[in-house]
Amino acid sequence: MNYRHLGLTGIRVSELSLGSWVTFNEQVDVDAAVEMMATAYDAGVNFFDNAENYAWGKSEEIMGAALKRLNWRRGSYLVSTKFYWGLHRGVNERNTLNRKRLIEGVNGSLARLQLDYVDLIYCHRADKTTPIEETVWAMHNIIEWGKAMYWGTSEWSADEIVEALRIAEKHHLHKPVTEQPEYNLLARKRFEKEYARIFRDHGYGATIWSPLASGMLTGKYLKGIPKGSRASLREYTWLQKQMKDKERLAKVRALQSVAKSVGCALSQLSIAWCLKNPNVSTVILGASRIEQLRENLKAAAYVSKLTPKVMGQIEGIFGMKKEEDD
Ligand code: NDP
């Protein structure tokens, strides 16, 4: 396993990490979580991603119970959580990054995770109604109190990130250190265009999500929606539209021959392609079954096989159209 610095911090994250969205609780119980996390950890994974609102808190409870059983040295791994959507419908408790909610949120997450601190807190979306200054101060205080080590953003605009950095610098507060954006062969524009300046000018980190576009890039949707797959789950049927999109399916189909020539699975090629981008700090893997995780963990071995010729072939299939380039 290779390790990459998380932005400009001194902390290094394994280039492959493991997340729990959709899977923990819905598809993965505590026993399966123990097996998956142990498999990942044994392969060198040191970062486990979570969020307050995943399965309404149950995902944190499962990860907490698994960590308790695994009993690893706390210094040997990193855990994250995220706040924005909240767990309750109260006026100050959802879709917000206000100070009260963030502080109550972190206390709740620590209890569910059975941890004294988390390593990273993401502000899970930007909050257009709370002043960024209030959020930056709250995150600074949470870090000063030892409840978190670092903080970051998830799907904020580049302008909002730069504004948070500016406020933190002005008041000598803990700065956000990383984004958590979507990045995969089918979702490139924001990462490669809008965020280019936050990587270049601010050394911002990037812990990327959905490297397989929720499973689309494994090829599993080429013949329809398989039973038991993510897009077949009751709460995730909204994914079906993109899984049936003819243009996207044609691209995935075309990628099959590239994967064949490289000698790896589609999933491994898609993950290796993400790793090839030096602005990526870690690729957060998702898996509903241990076999998937085992397959995906081997992806890093194929990065060296992505020669300029292979990258050119991939670009020929997934390259952004001229109009997307603007
Ligand atoms: P992926 O795009 O890699 O999708 C993972 C899903 O694809 C699996 O759960 C499984 O679904 C299927 N899959 C994975 N590997 C294989 C394989 N080898 N063969 C067949 N099917 C496979 O990642 P996620 O969307 O899960 O995102 C990863 C993590 O990123 C999340 O757990 C979360 O921590 C984070 N995230 C953050 C977000 C944010 O807003 N900050 C948003 C989304 C995710 P199935 O078997 O059910 O079909």
Side-chain angles (χ1 to χ4, degrees):
M1 181 67 69
N2 294 313
Y3 297 85
R4 302 183 182 188
H5 276 277
L6 184 61
L8 295 178
T9 73
I11 220 78
R12 288 193 296 161
V13 283
S14 48
E15 60 184 7
L16 296 175
S17 46
L18 180 63
S20 62
W21 179 56
V22 185
T23 54
F24 279 33
N25 191 51
E26 181 91 26
Q27 298 164 308
V28 173
D29 61 11
V30 177
D31 287 340
V34 168
E35 190 185 15
M36 279 190 182
M37 291 171 70
T39 299
Y41 187 79
D42 290 346
V45 167
N46 72 352
F47 172 41
F48 299 90
D49 186 64
N50 215 321
E52 168 188 68
N53 75 315
Y54 291 173
W56 294 96
K58 293 231 165 54
S59 169
E60 288 181 329
E61 282 173 11
I62 289 175
M63 192 173 277
L67 285 169
K68 186 140 204 145
R69 243 201 259 169
L70 289 160
N71 199 26
W72 298 325
R73 203 164 25 77
R74 185 66 185 87
S76 69
Y77 65 92
L78 309 161
V79 174
S80 69
T81 191
K82 314 184 193 83
F83 304 108
Y84 172 73
W85 281 287
L87 293 175
H88 303 282
R89 301 242 168 257
V91 63
N92 290 314
E93 297 176 280
R94 61 183 175 136
N95 302 352
T96 182
L97 297 173
N98 74 60
R99 177 179 180 83
K100 175 175 163 70
R101 178 77 260 286
L102 287 172
I103 292 166
E104 288 176 352
V106 74
N107 290 335
S109 286
L110 292 178
R112 284 187 294 276
L113 286 163
Q114 305 184 55
L115 295 174
D116 297 328
Y117 66 90
V118 286
D119 298 277
L120 250 170
I121 292 178
Y122 296 93
C123 292
H124 212 158
R125 288 296 180 268
D127 171 4
K128 313 285 180 198
T129 64
T130 299
I132 293 183
E133 185 158 347
E134 174 173 337
T135 298
V136 174
W137 269 105
M139 294 313 306
H140 172 78
N141 290 142
I142 287 168
I143 290 174
E144 286 290 292
W145 298 331
K147 290 173 192 261
M149 296 294 170
Y150 301 93
W151 75 282
T153 53
S154 181
E155 299 293 349
W156 285 30
S157 70
D159 284 346
E160 287 159 342
I161 293 166
V162 170
E163 178 62 1
L165 289 166
R166 189 193 66 75
I167 290 166
E169 264 160 25
K170 180 175 166 199
H171 299 289
H172 302 286
L173 307 177
H174 291 286
K175 292 186 215 176
V177 300
T178 185
E179 237 304 307
Q180 184 169 133
E182 181 178 23
Y183 187 50
N184 59 56
L185 281 163
L186 291 161
R188 300 171 55 178
K189 190 176 172 191
R190 179 170 240 185
F191 192 93
E192 294 180 15
K193 302 283 174 197
E194 183 183 344
Y195 289 162
R197 66 183 168 113
I198 62 164
F199 300 136
R200 186 190 59 232
D201 301 341
H202 300 280
Y204 217 54
T207 62
I208 63 148
W209 59 266
S210 287
L212 299 174
S214 273
M216 177 103 190
L217 288 163
T218 65
K220 70 194 299 176
Y221 293 97
L222 284 172
K223 291 185 186 145
I225 311 285
K227 224 172 144 192
S229 64
R230 178 176 293 182
S232 76
L233 301 177
R234 201 162 44 90
E235 284 186 44
Y236 297 90
T237 48
W238 53 269
L239 282 169
Q240 292 191 5
K241 191 165 172 257
Q242 66 192 61
M243 302 310 189
K244 290 179 182 167
D245 183 280
K246 289 202 172 68
E247 208 178 312
R248 289 160 67 94
L249 286 167
K251 290 179 179 178
V252 177
R253 201 167 286 118
L255 190 66
Q256 280 180 315
S257 63
V258 183
K260 201 166 169 208
S261 71
V262 172
C264 65
L266 268 182
S267 58
Q268 293 167 330
L269 182 64
S270 303
I271 292 165
W273 178 88
C274 296
L275 283 173
K276 191 92 177 157
N277 189 321
N279 290 326
V280 169
S281 316
T282 182
V283 174
I284 310 178
L285 304 176
S288 66
R289 293 204 308 275
I290 190 78
E291 302 76 38
Q292 296 174 354
L293 180 62
R294 290 208 177 99
E295 178 174 289
N296 300 350
L297 282 169
K298 291 191 196 125
Y302 297 98
V303 175
S304 63
K305 302 236 186 319
L306 300 190
T307 58
K309 186 176 161 215
V310 174
M311 288 300 274
Q313 289 169 341
I314 296 174
E315 200 59 29
I317 302 167
F318 290 94
M320 283 186 275
K321 291 189 191 122
K322 191 83 195 83
E323 61 268 23
E324 286 180 294
D325 254 359
D326 304 329

